[in-house]
Amino acid sequence: MSDALTDTATDPQAQAPRWPMPRAEGCPFDPPPALRALTADKPLARVRIWDGTTPWIVTGHAEQRALLGDPRVSADERLPGFPHWHEGAAAAVPYRPRSVFNSDAPEHTRFRRIMTGPFTFKRVEALRPAIQKITDHLIDAMLAGPKPADLVEALALPLPTLMISELLGVPYEDHEFIQEYAARGIAHEVSAEENARTFMALNEYLVGLVEKKAAEPADDALSDIAARVTAEDLSASEAAMMGLGLLIAGHETSANMIALAVPALLDNPEQLALLRDSDDPKVVAGAVEELLRYLGIIHGGQRRIAKEDIEIGGEVIRAGEGIIIELFSANRDAAVFPEPDRLDLRRENARHHNAFGFGIHQCVGQQLARVELQVVYGTLFRRIPTLALATPREGIEFKHERLAYGVHSLPVTW
Ligand code: HEM
């Protein structure tokens, strides 16, 4: 055997399996078996992505937190070797404005401070009655309509879309345009042209809206952001990117969580009963944390790059190597969560999940998402105790091709 062939057979980079990997047939809630096999006895390994490079994929809970909290790890997508999601994301780098998503401290701190105001615990708690009212109204409308109903269209998508539109001051009439373009933008395989077209359309829309808010300010988050443009703290394109980021992150994620939890709970009737039969807010809040842990929904891995050599998990990540943090896998790390594949709404440490990330990029909207999920799960099964799928389980179309996992539609009856 030649040296070259021997090297290929033993070199972990040459053998790195392709990422993303498919889930097992009939196991829509568990991580891909091939990823589990790859990282069964180690918290990180090499994978091969769309451009042929072999970044590290990190699945261990402790190692993810260590890396996400490490200033030697960067989210700067301009650095050579950055493991982009797809061709379209890589091609967009030169024209994508700087934002929380692609910056490190101290640049990140500047953006983040401007963004967090409307999403603090106190301000989101004040929205709870409005979230409850909208949830009740949407459920009333679904019950008054024909059976079966699509739960995504009836409840999962409109609730977070209405809330984030309201908070930002985006006209709800534009939601169809926004949803369509946002969905295209977060597909797994997007060409450079499609990505550019999607981004330009959304960016143009947001720039126009920010200009309008600067001229006629209202009591909403986009008006606050527009005021920063007037004060020259932000450029117009940074402001548009901020609004766009909040808009996309604010509806697609919570919508997927709301809908995906329904088949997961119907699969586990004794767990569903705990939720349905309790009006204790602590029980409901605990159930939300466990559902966030169990479902994860941000699948495909957050992208980073090492700025210096980093020793971790028995390996050395070299400066300039890509890092993929597969948050969902950490939520199934048996070292932290005993029997990790079991949905256990009373799990004591469920809140230690990585579903909202960790470190400086940890989710801005997590309080809003938590309140939306607490209200929906706490209301839906109590108001409709007979809720059931109106399609065989195999008929459900899961969003395997999206960065935010979920279901495309969910026919339900009662
Ligand atoms: C269940 C719902 C949600 C989940 C599972 C989720 C998950 C995440 C995760 C994992 C990150 C970290 C990304 C990284 O480290 O690269 C993140 C960041 C972010 N999320 Fe969420 N999110 C949710 C809802 C929301 C909502 C409702 C909003 C807006 C109101 C939002 C806005 C953001 C923003 C702006 C960031 C970027 C923060 C930064 O980079 O500093 N998210 N989210």
Side-chain angles (χ1 to χ4, degrees):
M1 202 184 280
S2 76
D3 283 353
L5 278 177
T6 316
D7 285 345
T8 309
T10 53
D11 175 7
Q13 286 200 54
Q15 291 178 348
R18 181 161 163 88
W19 179 256
M21 295 164 175
R23 286 182 182 79
E25 227 18 71
C27 265
F29 304 122
D30 289 346
L35 179 63
R36 286 191 140 163
L38 184 69
T39 55
D41 52 5
K42 51 189 178 196
L44 67 164
R46 297 267 191 181
V47 286
R48 186 171 302 280
I49 59 171
W50 63 275
D51 62 356
T53 59
T54 54
W56 293 94
I57 191 157
V58 186
T59 54
H61 185 279
E63 291 74 16
Q64 287 193 357
R65 288 193 168 203
L67 289 170
L68 288 169
D70 191 328
R72 295 172 296 175
V73 173
S74 171
D76 191 342
E77 61 186 1
R78 300 169 303 185
L79 296 175
F82 191 89
H84 297 283
W85 292 96
H86 44 63
E87 189 201 349
V93 170
Y95 62 81
R96 201 176 7 247
R98 307 294 293 157
S99 72
V100 276
F101 300 104
N102 58 15
S103 60
D104 302 326
E107 191 187 15
H108 173 267
T109 324
R110 177 170 76 91
F111 293 129
R112 179 111 183 176
R113 277 207 192 110
I114 297 175
M115 258 176 148
T116 44
F119 303 102
T120 56
F121 184 82
K122 214 170 141 194
R123 289 180 69 179
V124 171
E125 271 306 316
L127 294 175
R128 193 182 282 270
I131 295 174
Q132 182 69 59
K133 202 165 150 193
I134 296 172
T135 302
D136 282 325
H137 170 77
L138 291 169
I139 293 176
D140 286 344
M142 184 174 88
L143 292 175
K147 281 197 250 182
D150 175 9
L151 194 90
V152 172
E153 211 176 290
L155 177 68
L157 203 47
L159 173 69
T161 309
L162 272 163
M163 286 316 300
I164 195 70
S165 304
E166 178 72 24
L167 269 166
L168 285 173
V170 171
Y172 186 69
E173 311 83 85
D174 298 342
H175 77 281
E176 268 179 30
F177 158 80
I178 294 163
Q179 273 161 14
E180 189 196 324
Y181 277 77
R184 282 194 220 168
I186 61 163
H188 261 307
E189 306 281 344
V190 186
S191 70
E193 296 75 40
E194 178 66 5
N195 198 64
R197 254 198 313 276
T198 304
F199 177 77
M200 302 295 248
L202 283 168
N203 191 56
E204 203 175 301
Y205 171 77
L206 258 301
V207 167
L209 205 54
V210 169
E211 278 169 5
K212 223 158 122 193
K213 299 282 178 186
E216 290 169 45
D219 184 16
D220 55 46
L222 266 187
S223 297
D224 295 349
I225 292 173
R228 298 301 191 108
V229 179
T230 313
E232 296 182 7
D233 290 340
L234 273 185
S235 71
S237 62
E238 285 170 345
M241 189 62 214
M242 205 174 265
L244 187 57
L246 284 169
L247 197 54
I248 295 180
H251 80 268
E252 181 74 27
T253 45
S254 301
N256 283 323
M257 259 309 292
I258 293 173
L260 194 60
V262 172
L265 286 163
L266 291 170
D267 277 0
N268 292 276
E270 72 303 336
Q271 296 293 315
L272 193 157
L274 290 174
L275 188 58
R276 187 191 54 220
D277 301 341
S278 175
D279 49 13
D280 180 350
K282 279 208 188 103
V283 171
V284 178
V288 165
E289 297 308 319
E290 172 65 351
L291 284 160
L292 281 162
R293 182 198 72 82
Y294 183 73
L295 298 171
I297 75 130
I298 303 295
H299 298 190
Q302 297 315 112
R303 307 300 161 114
R304 300 290 195 271
I305 185 164
K307 289 197 288 189
E308 294 173 32
D309 289 359
I310 301 170
E311 241 185 282
I312 189 145
E315 303 280 2
V316 179
I317 302 178
R318 297 282 172 203
E321 286 185 342
I323 307 173
I324 298 179
I325 312 264
E326 176 56 326
L327 298 168
F328 177 49
S329 289
N331 294 349
R332 302 296 185 94
D333 184 337
V336 183
F337 306 108
E339 288 189 76
D341 295 340
R342 200 158 68 84
L343 178 70
D344 173 5
L345 298 189
R346 286 188 284 207
R347 190 182 288 276
E348 281 187 359
N349 69 347
R351 211 182 156 83
H352 295 153
H353 61 70
N354 285 355
F356 289 124
F358 189 76
I360 63 166
H361 292 277
Q362 198 177 125
C363 182
V364 165
Q366 59 186 287
Q367 296 311 335
L368 176 61
R370 282 195 165 100
V371 174
E372 286 172 351
L373 298 176
Q374 288 165 7
V375 170
V376 170
Y377 302 156
T379 308
L380 183 65
F381 299 101
R382 271 198 291 127
R383 288 211 47 202
I384 320 179
T386 56
L387 190 79
L389 294 183
T391 176
R393 184 61 154 51
E394 314 75 67
I396 300 176
E397 278 186 56
F398 291 91
K399 292 181 178 174
H400 293 295
E401 76 294 1
R402 297 276 175 82
L403 306 179
Y405 190 51
V407 290
H408 287 285
S409 62
L410 193 68
V412 291
T413 190
W414 49 92

